[in-house]
């Protein structure tokens, strides 16, 4: 029997776990690493393998997915886990799925290419649960020929994907999408609270709103969580604030005022101050209340 293709995964958090599930279901083998030991144990329980370090993942795998929290962490993983482990000219493929600063990921992609890595930016639009159900959309930045070469891996993660442009453009598209999404989510929370305050049953009102011209897919995913008060995480509040901060930085660089984004970010900050950082971002309704 032929051996299953081995895919590396550095970062086994909420989205990384979903990636592992989808890759395993598609017939790949997964070798992953996270700095949190419990997450490595969770990967083993899913049927994947856990490495002792990110460097081990880089040495043993030809295709490596990076799914860590911040721009700084991505830069550290590429420089210290991957490049130091494999050296220049390795021809390894690195798929960066983290949501990061677009300008810095563009510079990192160029540096990685100079050092002999084949780099592709691959963030996803969708919550971990939506992606688990095959509803995630891949936003690809980099060489389209490399995208086609790794299409079987990408297709396991994202049944739908779009080549956006060069390095940084995937993250630019992701931030613009998340700007719309975050404001929609906050508007839904505000509408539900308003409906409650004027005496309507929120669950009934949500069904009516979904049938109205105000409908958005946010109502399907986040509306029931808001109504039930179920804030088990599918997208952490801390991650939403990180993304909103990146959006604000990009808008300032370009001299564009984004007043709704500024308000949205302030609401997220208040949520974090009230201890909601590890809750689902649907918990924004608590701050609106």
């Amino acid at each position: 029997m032929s051996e299953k293709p081995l895919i590396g995964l550095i970062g086994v958090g909420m989205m990384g776990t979903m990636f592992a599930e989808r890759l395993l279901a598609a017939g790949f083998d997964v070798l992953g690493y996270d700095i949190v030991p419990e997450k490595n144990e969770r990967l083993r329980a899913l049927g994947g393998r856990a490495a002792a370090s990110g460097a081990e993942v880089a040495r043993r795998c030809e295709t490596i997915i990076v799914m860590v929290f911040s721009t700084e962490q991505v830069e550290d993983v590429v420089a210290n886990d991957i490049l130091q482990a494999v050296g220049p000219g390795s021809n390894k493929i690195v798929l960066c799925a983290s949501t990061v600063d677009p300008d810095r990921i563009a510079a990192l992609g160029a540096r990685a290419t100079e050092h002999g890595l084949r780099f592709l930016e691959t963030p996803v639009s969708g919550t971990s649960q939506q992606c688990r159900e095959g509803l995630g959309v891949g936003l690809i930045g980099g060489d389209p020929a490399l995208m086609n070469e790794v299409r079987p891996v990408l297709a396991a993660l994202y049944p739908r994907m779009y080549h956006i442009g060069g390095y940084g453009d995937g993250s630019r598209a992701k931030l613009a999408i998340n700007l719309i999404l975050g404001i929609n989510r906050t508007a839904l929370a505000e509408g539900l609270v308003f409906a409650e305050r004027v005496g309507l049953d929120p669950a009934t009102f949500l069904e009516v709103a979904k049938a109205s011209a105000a409908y958005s897919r946010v109502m399907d995913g986040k509306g029931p969580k808001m109504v039930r008060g179920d804030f088990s995480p599918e997208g952490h509040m801390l991650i939403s604030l990180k993304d909103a901060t990146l959006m604000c930085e990009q808008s300032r660089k370009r001299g564009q005022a984004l007043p709704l984004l500024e308000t949205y970010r302030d609401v997220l900050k208040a949520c974090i101050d009230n201890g909601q950082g590890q809750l689902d971002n649907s918990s924004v309704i608590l701050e609106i209340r």
Side-chain angles (χ1 to χ4, degrees):
M1 294 178 64
S2 61
E3 188 175 336
K4 294 179 181 179
L6 182 63
I7 306 300
L9 177 62
I10 300 178
V12 194
M14 194 158 47
M15 292 297 282
T17 298
M18 178 277 300
F19 283 169
E21 290 174 2
R22 291 192 61 83
L23 288 166
L24 291 165
F28 294 97
D29 201 356
V30 176
L31 177 68
Y33 173 73
D34 197 283
I35 60 172
V36 179
E38 292 80 7
K39 295 179 180 180
N40 296 318
E41 290 303 317
R42 185 169 61 195
L43 175 61
R44 289 191 184 96
L46 291 172
R49 307 186 218 169
S53 65
E56 181 187 350
V57 173
R59 285 192 296 267
R60 293 178 58 187
C61 301
E62 295 306 309
T63 299
I64 305 145
I65 301 168
V66 178
M67 188 65 232
V68 293
F69 177 74
S70 67
T71 306
E72 292 77 12
Q73 290 173 355
V74 171
E75 292 169 336
D76 179 66
V77 164
V78 172
N80 297 317
D81 285 342
I82 299 177
L83 280 173
Q84 282 194 15
V86 303
S90 70
N91 218 32
K92 301 269 186 174
I93 297 171
V94 176
L95 309 180
C96 178
S98 304
T99 303
V100 293
D101 181 294
D103 302 326
R104 288 167 66 178
I105 201 65
L108 179 64
R111 290 198 303 274
T113 301
E114 289 173 1
H115 286 83
L117 297 177
R118 292 191 288 164
F119 191 90
L120 206 60
E121 186 191 16
T122 63
V124 59
S125 175
T127 67
S128 59
Q129 186 57 37
Q130 287 172 329
C131 294
R132 184 172 283 109
E133 295 170 358
L135 300 175
V137 177
L139 308 168
I140 314 302
D143 183 0
L146 180 56
M147 174 182 170
N148 286 330
E149 182 178 339
V150 296
R151 187 173 290 273
V153 176
L154 293 174
L157 304 177
Y158 319 130
R160 292 179 296 165
M161 68 187 86
Y162 296 88
H163 183 262
I164 305 296
Y167 296 146
D169 288 337
S171 291
R172 292 180 182 107
K174 173 70 180 285
L175 292 178
I177 289 169
N178 279 7
L179 191 157
I180 299 168
L181 183 61
I183 291 172
N184 277 348
R185 190 165 52 237
T186 308
L188 172 60
E190 192 162 277
L192 285 170
V193 170
F194 177 72
E196 291 171 358
R197 296 291 168 83
V198 297
L200 300 177
D201 174 69
T204 301
F205 169 75
L206 177 62
E207 293 307 308
V208 173
K210 287 165 68 173
S212 76
Y215 171 74
S216 74
R217 289 174 69 180
V218 170
M219 293 182 181
D220 296 331
K222 300 299 183 180
K225 291 178 76 67
M226 291 181 184
V227 168
R228 296 193 306 265
D230 168 20
F231 304 127
S232 54
E234 296 175 2
H236 286 118
M237 189 67 77
L238 277 172
I239 294 175
S240 295
L241 178 59
K242 179 207 73 171
D243 293 355
T245 302
L246 288 171
M247 297 168 206
C248 289
E249 290 170 355
Q250 290 291 308
S251 67
R252 280 196 298 272
K253 285 182 181 179
R254 288 153 179 80
Q256 181 183 5
L258 295 173
L260 295 181
L261 171 61
E262 296 284 350
T263 300
Y264 168 60
R265 184 197 57 181
D266 290 345
V267 171
L268 294 179
K269 285 181 176 179
C271 292
I272 302 300
D273 289 344
N274 285 327
Q276 296 167 227
Q278 296 301 322
L279 298 182
D280 188 77
N281 48 29
S282 59
S283 68
V284 68
I285 195 170
L286 299 176
E287 181 59 29
I288 297 298
R289 283 199 184 102

